[in-house]
């Protein structure tokens, strides 16, 4: 899991509980977390994993809890990795600027999905950052949805569906590596009331 | 909560600012109006080790027409644009009219045009208008200047094409766009928009749309144009039916991934706001 998460490191293991740290950066915003990650369920045959993560902000009173469910749907022209996450963020950070943290999490999980895709497509070297941001800038909204399957499979749980967002980020990459593989990502944020309140904060 | 400790440098020229930024490295940041950076630091979401205060660089506080082009200095305050319709000149009314959507009076008096673009909030008014009016961002480092199209400038949430030792010095709007408009919805007055749209178009003699731009904020990690809707309007009469069709297409294109309640609201806003904006733009400057 750690190799898939940029800025994350696994520091120790106690039974099936991993301890680790994670640093994430979005523009000028930096958030550091330390916490644990546990596989609640791991079905190698079905390629399904349920992971729960808890983390505390390194220098702040905030924290985050997440449940991550990853599963793989085999399709005709490749596999579709579906990642569902419920992230709950606590603390001041969660109240800031229209849920800046929601956005950080979105980016985090998008990066996660990209890296996972890279691993699955057998690319050993991490592709340069630009590749993922290919075409950068204000992209025109022309990307096709990654796959209807992703939406169908997970829509019920998702309170915020960022498929479009991620589809755009992942689309060009998938073409670039030439792998007939699509990664769908549905992030279900349950940011709770504090997150909503955060929408009104300054930016 | 107080910000983490940082060193503070005030500079008196662009050259000095660029030297400082270069020497201090990636963890240093320029600070202009401080209306975005200071709150981020107060919450310790951003922790630059050094600030280079460029707020007094008068050489970057201009707002002037050079022929067709409008040049906005990086340090031009939001309030200066708001009251600067005369300096902006004909065809740029949309800038002065839109400034009032930005925060509140004190924020507009301190916050800067360049700071807004450099901060790169995907729902910021200036970011949207830069995209809709085909603005060019002029960035300078110790080696010299480069021009970056607004379409290539925003790279992600709060992220831009600027290098850490580069300053945004000016934003250039290439030509008057009298038929343009910005509409937005926010939950409370002065808040950042939940969804915003900026449109610009030209009208030929028969009243048909040309050179259409439709840019949305608040729906992705960068402001986005909807090329398909722009194309749909090309050559069409500037009438309600055509606007509605283009707006629906915008909602369909961008609203695709938004499945939940919030997403449905955003999608509806995209449609209604762009119908309104296109209508206002085609009617031209209100008297
Ligand atoms: C309560 C509140 C409500 C607000 N509402 C809105 C709103 O509705 N719409 C809106 O658009 N904005 C809003 N803002 C933000 C405001 O417009 C800011 O002024 C603007 O986003 C940033 O400009 P600044 O000069 O204050 O930049 P600063 O806060 O000084 O800097 C912002 C970022 O840009 C960088 N930077 C600044 N200038 C330059 C430069 N010349 N070259 C390179 N990098 C530079 C800084 O390093 C920093 O990373 C709001 C702010 C507050 C506090």
């Amino acid at each position: 899991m750690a190799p898939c998460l940029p800025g994350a490191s696994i520091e120790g293991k106690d039974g099936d509980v991993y301890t680790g740290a994670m640093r994430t950066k979005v523009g000028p915003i930096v958030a550091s977390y330390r916490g644990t990650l546990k596989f609640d369920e791991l079905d190698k045959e079905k390629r399904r994993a349920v992971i729960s993560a808890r983390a505390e902000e390194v220098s702040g009173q905030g924290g985050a809890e997440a449940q991550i469910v990853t599963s793989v749907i085999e399709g005709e022209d490749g596999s579709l990795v579906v990642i569902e996450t419920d992230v709950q963020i606590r603390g001041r950070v969660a109240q800031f600027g229209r849920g800046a943290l929601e956005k950080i999490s979105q980016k985090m999980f998008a990066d996660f999905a990209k890296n996972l895709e890279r691993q699955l497509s057998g690319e050993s070297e991490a592709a340069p950052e630009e590749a993922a941001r290919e075409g950068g800038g204000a992209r025109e909204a022309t990307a096709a949805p990654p796959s209807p399957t992703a939406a169908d499979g997970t829509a019920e749980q998702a309170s915020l569906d960022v498929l479009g967002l991620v589809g755009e980020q992942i689309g060009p990459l998938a073409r670039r590596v030439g792998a007939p593989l699509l990664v769908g990502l549905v992030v279900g944020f349950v940011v709770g009331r504090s997150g909503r309140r955060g929408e009104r904060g300054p930016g | 909560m107080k910000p983490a400790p940082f060193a503070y440098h005030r500079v008196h020229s662009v050259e000095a600012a660029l030297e400082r930024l270069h020497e201090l490295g990636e963890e240093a940041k320029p600070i202009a109006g401080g209306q975005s950076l200071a709150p981020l630091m107060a919450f310790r979401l951003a922790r630059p080790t050094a600030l280079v205060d460029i707020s007094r660089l008068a050489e970057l506080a201009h707002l002037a027409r050079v022929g067709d082009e409008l040049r906005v200095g990086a340090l031009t305050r939001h309030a200066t644009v708001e009251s600067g319709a005369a300096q902006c000149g004909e065809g740029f009314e949309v800038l002065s009219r839109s400034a009032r959507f930005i925060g509140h009076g004190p924020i507009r008096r301190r916050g800067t045009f360049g700071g807004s673009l450099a901060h790169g909030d995907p729902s910021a008014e200036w970011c949207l208008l830069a995209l809709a009016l085909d603005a060019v961002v002029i960035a300078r480092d110790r080696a010299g200047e480069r021009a970056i199209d607004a379409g290539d400038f925003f790279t992600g949430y709060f992220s831009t094409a600027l290098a850490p030792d580069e300053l945004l010095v000016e934003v250039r709007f290439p030509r008057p766009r009298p038929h343009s408009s910005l509409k937005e919805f926010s939950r409370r007055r002065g808040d950042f928009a939940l969804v915003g749209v900026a449109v610009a178009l030209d009208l030929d003699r028969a009243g048909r749309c040309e050179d259409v731009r439709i840019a949305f904020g608040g729906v992705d990690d960068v402001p986005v144009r909807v090329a398909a809707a722009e194309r749909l309007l090309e050559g069409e009469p500037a009438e309600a039916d055509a606007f509605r069709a283009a707006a629906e297409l915008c909602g369909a294109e961008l609203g695709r991934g938004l499945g939940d309640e919030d997403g449905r609201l955003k999608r509806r806003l995209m449609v209604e706001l762009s119908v309104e904006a296109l209508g206002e733009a085609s009617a031209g400057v209100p008297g």
Side-chain angles (χ1 to χ4, degrees):
Chain A
M1 195 56 76
C4 293
L5 268 177
S9 56
I10 297 286
E11 294 171 341
K13 185 172 185 267
D14 182 6
D16 57 353
V17 179
Y18 296 81
T19 55
M22 161 141 189
R23 189 183 135 98
T24 173
K25 194 168 183 303
V26 176
I29 301 171
V30 181
S32 302
Y33 289 94
R34 185 170 293 280
T36 57
L37 198 145
K38 182 168 170 284
F39 282 86
D40 295 330
E41 217 185 295
L42 183 62
D43 186 333
K44 287 208 169 112
E45 220 143 81
K46 286 197 199 134
R47 296 166 76 184
R48 181 185 140 88
V50 180
I51 303 151
S52 57
R54 294 180 65 89
E56 298 301 319
E57 246 181 274
V58 172
S59 54
Q61 300 95 333
E65 271 108 53
Q67 194 190 49
I68 305 162
V69 181
T70 68
S71 49
V72 177
I73 300 168
E74 299 291 350
E76 269 178 19
D77 43 347
S79 320
L80 180 72
V81 181
V82 180
I83 305 170
E84 294 163 53
T85 36
D86 279 339
V87 183
Q88 288 176 51
I89 296 159
R90 292 175 277 107
R92 272 172 215 273
V93 159
Q95 291 162 30
F96 183 78
R98 295 161 305 129
L101 251 232
E102 282 175 64
K103 294 174 182 174
I104 293 182
S105 317
Q106 281 175 21
K107 178 175 177 255
M108 218 165 76
F109 289 110
D111 287 347
F112 175 80
K114 271 185 300 216
N115 290 351
L116 195 64
E117 178 204 31
R118 220 172 272 140
Q119 289 204 336
L120 290 170
S121 62
E123 232 193 82
S124 50
E125 286 246 323
E129 201 33 40
E130 313 85 272
R133 290 246 53 109
E134 202 175 327
R139 297 180 302 272
E140 294 177 346
T142 48
S147 158
T149 333
D152 293 345
T154 53
E156 331 124 67
Q157 270 138 328
S159 62
L160 173 65
D161 180 340
V162 291
L163 254 183
L165 175 97
V166 174
E168 268 192 56
Q169 296 195 344
I170 288 178
L173 184 74
R175 275 196 297 282
R176 195 184 56 80
V177 297
L181 188 99
L182 279 169
V183 175
L185 171 71
V186 175
V187 181
F189 282 104
V190 186
V191 185
R193 294 305 135 217
S194 62
R196 295 274 170 233
R197 235 185 303 135
E199 283 198 347
R200 298 186 192 136
Chain B
M1 202 164 173
K2 284 191 195 141
F6 58 89
Y8 174 83
H9 306 271
R10 171 165 291 160
V11 290
H12 301 282
S13 70
V14 175
E15 283 67 33
L18 294 173
E19 283 302 327
R20 275 287 186 206
L21 286 172
H22 183 77
E23 146 201 325
L24 292 165
E26 261 197 59
E27 300 300 316
K29 285 214 143 271
I31 185 160
Q35 297 305 295
S36 292
L37 189 51
L40 281 178
M41 289 174 66
F43 281 96
R44 297 205 175 192
L45 284 171
R47 271 172 259 187
T49 53
L51 291 182
V52 176
D53 183 351
I54 58 169
S55 64
R56 307 245 176 121
L57 299 183
E59 58 189 299
L60 296 185
H62 54 280
L63 175 65
R65 279 289 280 272
V66 178
D68 265 355
E69 194 171 83
L70 175 67
R71 297 186 176 177
V72 187
L75 287 173
T76 301
R77 302 306 201 256
H78 307 323
T80 307
V81 181
E82 187 176 15
S83 61
Q87 283 146 283
C88 293
E90 248 169 67
F92 290 106
E93 294 78 6
V94 69
L95 292 172
S96 305
R97 266 189 278 139
S98 305
R100 71 191 147 94
F101 291 124
I102 305 174
H104 309 280
I107 292 158
R108 295 201 287 274
R109 283 191 291 281
R110 294 194 188 96
T112 66
F113 205 93
S116 179
L117 266 77
H119 185 59
D121 189 300
S123 43
E125 286 76 7
W126 297 150
C127 297
L128 270 186
L129 284 165
L131 189 61
L133 303 183
D134 299 311
V136 175
V137 172
I138 309 296
R140 193 186 298 171
D141 67 6
R142 294 190 315 161
E145 279 188 2
R146 64 179 177 129
I148 308 162
D149 287 340
D152 299 324
F153 185 72
F154 306 105
T155 56
Y157 287 117
F158 313 127
S159 305
T160 70
L162 289 174
D165 63 351
E166 222 172 9
L167 277 183
L168 188 165
V169 290
E170 191 177 75
V171 182
R172 295 186 184 157
F173 292 91
R175 66 183 180 95
R177 286 287 242 170
H179 295 291
S180 47
S181 167
L182 181 141
K183 294 280 169 198
E184 65 174 54
F185 174 85
S186 56
R187 291 216 162 95
R188 284 189 326 187
R189 208 165 155 246
D191 279 5
F192 269 99
L194 189 63
V195 175
V197 61
V199 305
L201 49 89
D202 294 341
L203 292 177
D204 70 7
R205 272 197 243 127
R208 285 182 299 246
C209 302
E210 281 178 345
D211 232 346
V212 182
R213 297 283 180 280
I214 308 177
F216 287 92
V219 299
D220 204 343
D221 63 346
V222 292
V224 278
R225 277 173 57 187
V226 185
E230 294 174 354
R231 274 197 305 271
L232 188 72
L233 273 180
E234 249 356 275
E236 289 295 314
E239 284 164 9
D241 288 352
F243 293 158
R244 171 68 55 184
E248 294 286 353
L249 186 57
C250 292
E253 287 272 326
L254 291 177
R256 196 158 36 213
L258 308 169
D260 67 334
E261 209 179 302
D262 223 41
R264 277 195 296 276
L265 170 64
K266 281 195 173 186
R267 192 181 155 138
R268 261 196 48 209
L269 286 169
M270 277 185 263
V271 175
E272 297 312 322
L273 291 170
S274 43
V275 166
E276 237 184 277
L278 287 163
E280 182 176 280
S282 65
V285 189

